[in-house]
Amino acid sequence: MHLGTESTGGLIDLPVAREAATGYPLVPSSSLKGSLRDKARNAFNKTEVEALFGEQDKAGGIAVTDARLLLLPVRSLTSHYVWVTCPYMLERLQRDMKLVGKQVNLKIESPKDGQVFAASTGKLLLEELTLETDERTELIQNSARVIAPLIGHESVRNRLEGQLVIVSNNRMAYFATYCLTVRARNQLNETTKISENLWYEETLPPDSLFYFSLIQRPDRQGSVEQAVKLFDGDPYLQVGGNETMGQGWCAISLYEEGE
């Protein structure tokens, strides 16, 4: 998925959108709301769409938050790839859950910078970093139980516990900054096939996990329930650029009551 910002003048011409304070990739609420509105145009009539998402001079019935990063796939040189999260991300998830009236019991512990919490032992090589594994099976199981309902595919939920690791906040900042995919894009002259424009584009890796909230206005009862109907039988949403290249397809999962 590519949710770009303006060129920074650095080595990457089109970086992804990031939070200013943390540097974590994010999906801006404006992009999400636009994608949801496009999907709604194919499912609802014009009046229903405007009631949900608003008009130029009138607010809609729901607010859409930014989608925040929770699990980032990182290449491992000693195993299958792992999903990396950190204490700050888990703490933020717990706070955001409380905002929408859901209480989750997350145990949050902080590893040292050269350490990683996992459900196994030994050394773990993530990109070029060697981290000492501290086996915290109960902690990983607790985190996986809370995160799993955010994942739509059962097969992915089943392997979450074995691939989930918790690193320090400092190490997470490193992975989120330097371990995303960078692709070279090239525009060729149709006749001579000589390069006319070469640029580098940053994208979010497949199997990244983000979460966002739909918050209902007090005077618009039933708006969230109406919005959720968008995904009945079709749990997918295209977000960001390069749609014709197959990028930006997200599987949307509803965090159900009682889970």
Side-chain angles (χ1 to χ4, degrees):
M1 179 165 59
H2 176 73
L3 290 136
T5 58
E6 293 182 359
S7 176
T8 61
L11 294 175
I12 300 174
D13 301 292
L14 296 174
V16 299
R18 294 178 180 272
E19 298 176 7
T22 64
Y24 296 161
L26 86 159
V27 182
S29 57
S30 56
S31 296
L32 263 180
K33 187 175 180 180
S35 296
L36 289 167
R37 190 179 190 118
D38 283 343
K39 189 176 179 70
R41 289 193 182 105
N42 297 321
F44 305 143
N45 60 47
K46 182 180 178 181
T47 301
E48 291 172 322
V49 172
E50 291 176 347
L52 278 178
F53 300 103
E55 307 172 57
Q56 186 171 356
D57 57 351
K58 186 178 179 181
I62 58 170
V64 182
T65 69
D66 292 337
R68 292 175 163 176
L69 180 65
L70 182 58
L71 298 181
L72 180 69
V74 173
R75 178 178 57 173
S76 169
L77 302 182
T78 51
S79 65
H80 193 32
Y81 79 87
V82 298
W83 277 300
V84 175
T85 190
C86 68
Y88 172 70
M89 286 182 172
L90 295 172
E91 173 207 320
R92 188 166 67 171
L93 172 66
Q94 190 162 248
R95 287 189 278 121
D96 289 341
M97 286 288 192
K98 189 174 181 180
L99 172 67
V100 294
K102 298 182 186 297
Q103 298 290 336
V104 294
N105 183 25
L106 263 173
K107 297 178 182 178
I108 300 174
E109 299 181 29
S110 299
K112 298 176 182 178
D113 285 350
Q115 196 179 39
V116 57
F117 292 159
S120 59
T121 58
K123 292 186 182 295
L124 190 61
L125 272 66
L126 300 181
E127 295 292 341
E128 71 274 17
L129 300 180
T130 302
L131 302 175
E132 194 68 39
T133 300
D134 185 349
E135 185 177 0
R136 297 291 184 91
T137 302
E138 185 178 350
L139 178 66
I140 294 298
Q141 288 175 341
N142 172 261
S143 300
R145 277 195 298 270
V146 174
I147 295 171
L150 289 167
I151 299 173
H153 298 96
E154 183 179 359
S155 60
V156 180
R157 292 196 298 269
N158 291 340
R159 59 185 170 88
L160 173 62
E161 186 178 313
Q163 291 179 247
L164 178 63
V165 300
I166 301 172
V167 300
S168 69
N169 294 334
N170 292 334
R171 284 288 177 255
M172 189 70 230
Y174 174 83
F175 290 133
T177 301
Y178 298 109
C179 297
L180 270 60
T181 307
V182 177
R183 302 186 182 197
R185 300 280 305 279
N186 201 358
Q187 181 180 357
L188 302 179
N189 182 283
E190 291 186 4
T191 304
T192 64
K193 305 304 179 184
I194 295 175
S195 174
E196 293 183 340
N197 184 21
L198 174 66
W199 72 95
Y200 292 90
E201 185 176 272
E202 192 176 40
T203 58
L204 295 165
D207 286 351
S208 300
L209 180 65
F210 289 77
Y211 68 91
F212 68 98
S213 301
L214 297 177
I215 302 174
Q216 184 171 262
R217 290 182 59 187
D219 60 339
R220 299 289 186 87
Q221 296 299 316
S223 295
V224 168
E225 288 79 0
Q226 178 76 354
V228 167
K229 291 179 182 177
L230 285 172
F231 301 101
D232 288 347
D234 180 20
Y236 300 102
L237 184 70
Q238 199 283 330
V239 184
N242 300 332
E243 180 179 4
T244 57
M245 296 171 57
Q247 291 186 16
W249 285 103
C250 305
I252 304 295
S253 179
L254 177 66
Y255 203 100
E256 299 282 3
E257 291 288 350
E259 290 189 321

